[in-house]
Amino acid sequence: MRNPILRCLLSILVLVFSQVACNLPGAGVEPTLTLLPPTLTPPPTPTPMPSATVTPTPTITPTPLPTFTPTPFPLLAQGEFLPESLQPITFGNAIQVHALAEWKQNTVTSLVWSPDGNRLAVGEAAEIEFYDIHTRQKVDTLVVDDGLVDFDLTPDWRYLASASNSGSEWTGYTGSVSFWRLSDKIRLYIFYLDQRGVSGLSIAPDGNPLVAGVTSPNYIDNNFIFWNTVTYEITRTMRTGGVLDLAFSPDGQAIASTPDRFAIRLWRMKDSQMLYELPTSFTGAVSSLAFSPDGATLATGHYDGVIRTWDVAKGELKQEFVIDGVIESLAFSSDGTLLASGQGYRGFAIHLWDLANGQMVQVLPGHTHAVDHLAFSPDGKLLVSGSYDGTLRLWGVRP
């Protein structure tokens, strides 16, 4: 700058401004560097990978077992022949069993099939009627004493034993046991039981002996009485206590009985010894007994709706089946695979049970009162039922 005066003025101004700067707060202090945190750039939001679509595992619906809806065949009338070539009733076709025929019959006391299965003997109050099973036509009648309790036939169906009671619960009963020859309907022998009643009888599977269960208010007069079916002689008695029902085992070596409805007893024939007693309960009073065809199992029906099967050799419980009602009757199928039970109270059906697993496999309705008698034919093709409704029914599997 060439003007000395102006240069002097500028110098003075520089000095003044320098002094002012030195007097400012913080003048002379080393400046502190404040480092700001770096601004982080947020990472990019990841784009989620598409999740795999899981194919759901299909729920396996079990294929139901095939069911059988029987064609509602009309019941055959008396005189109308049964279908030919009926199949034996077994577990495999039990679901196909249905009613074939029905006919009127007064109160039934017992049912007995002929060995060939062609005839059926049916007990009433004072007579025993014989039917041709193919037509249900009555072919013969045997008049017996009034008050028929039970009857049985020898295996050859030539002779018949019957038991009857007269009197009442208040006056006391007098029982009788009779032997009959069927060819001419002649009574060959009669035995009276003074002030003792007969609760049941059975002929051994080989035809000899006959046993009758005898009941009395006097405890020591409750026993089995045995007769020789050829000579009609009493061969022995067994003191048993009360006997309300009895059944021979298929081999004839043992007898099952119910002494007072609250126990089952098994007796050995060869030495008259009681093998064991199986108690029930107050609500489980015994109403029926049946041996399996091989004799290895005893079935008992009870008033509380329970069916029990027992190992005969061991006296041990094997199975229990239960229905809502009363078990009035029992019968094993000829092949031993099924057990039929007749119901009373809260229903009047017949139930078929698979003995392999204790399952109910068929229900047979039709009766209108308790089913108190059941019996399979010897060839297993037919099941006959007797009821308080005054009818007999035949059940089977059509070809």
Side-chain angles (χ1 to χ4, degrees), residues 36 72 162 190 221:
L36 295 175
S162 64
I190 185 169
D221 288 334

Side-chain angles (χ1 to χ4, degrees), residues 40-99:
L40 297 177
T41 303
T45 303
T47 302
M49 296 293 292
S51 57
T53 302
V54 180
T55 302
T57 303
T59 301
I60 299 176
T61 303
T63 303
L65 294 174
T67 58
F68 175 81
T69 304
T71 303
F73 295 106
L75 294 176
L76 301 172
Q78 273 186 281
E80 191 174 358
F81 277 84
L82 288 174
E84 295 183 1
S85 304
L86 289 171
Q87 304 173 33
I89 299 171
T90 66
F91 164 73
N93 61 20
I95 193 64
Q96 302 178 44
V97 175
H98 61 272

Side-chain angles (χ1 to χ4, degrees), residues 227-313:
W227 284 267
N228 183 300
T229 56
V230 177
T231 65
Y232 319 120
E233 296 174 334
I234 294 177
T235 56
R236 62 172 161 163
T237 61
M238 287 171 53
R239 187 168 295 174
T240 59
V243 178
L244 298 181
D245 197 5
L246 60 91
F248 259 113
S249 63
D251 62 6
Q253 300 303 306
I255 299 176
S257 69
T258 56
D260 52 13
R261 293 297 188 202
F262 301 105
I264 305 104
R265 290 175 176 171
L266 192 73
W267 306 85
R268 188 165 53 203
M269 280 287 294
K270 67 178 181 180
D271 55 9
S272 302
Q273 293 298 307
M274 184 174 71
L275 298 176
Y276 48 75
E277 180 175 276
L278 306 170
T280 64
S281 62
F282 179 74
T283 59
V286 182
S287 54
S288 52
L289 297 168
F291 277 99
S292 62
D294 62 5
T297 302
L298 174 67
T300 59
H302 302 261
Y303 280 104
D304 57 5
V306 177
I307 300 169
R308 295 184 173 93
T309 61
W310 307 87
D311 184 308
V312 171

Side-chain angles (χ1 to χ4, degrees), residues 182-220:
L182 289 182
S183 60
D184 52 12
K185 303 177 188 176
I186 296 297
R187 190 194 323 243
L188 302 172
Y189 175 81
I190 185 169
F191 181 84
Y192 290 102
L193 295 152
D194 185 35
Q195 296 300 306
R196 290 178 292 170
V198 183
S199 56
L201 60 74
S202 182
I203 295 176
D206 64 359
N208 199 5
L210 161 73
V211 60
V214 177
T215 61
S216 169
N218 187 354
Y219 182 80
I220 65 173

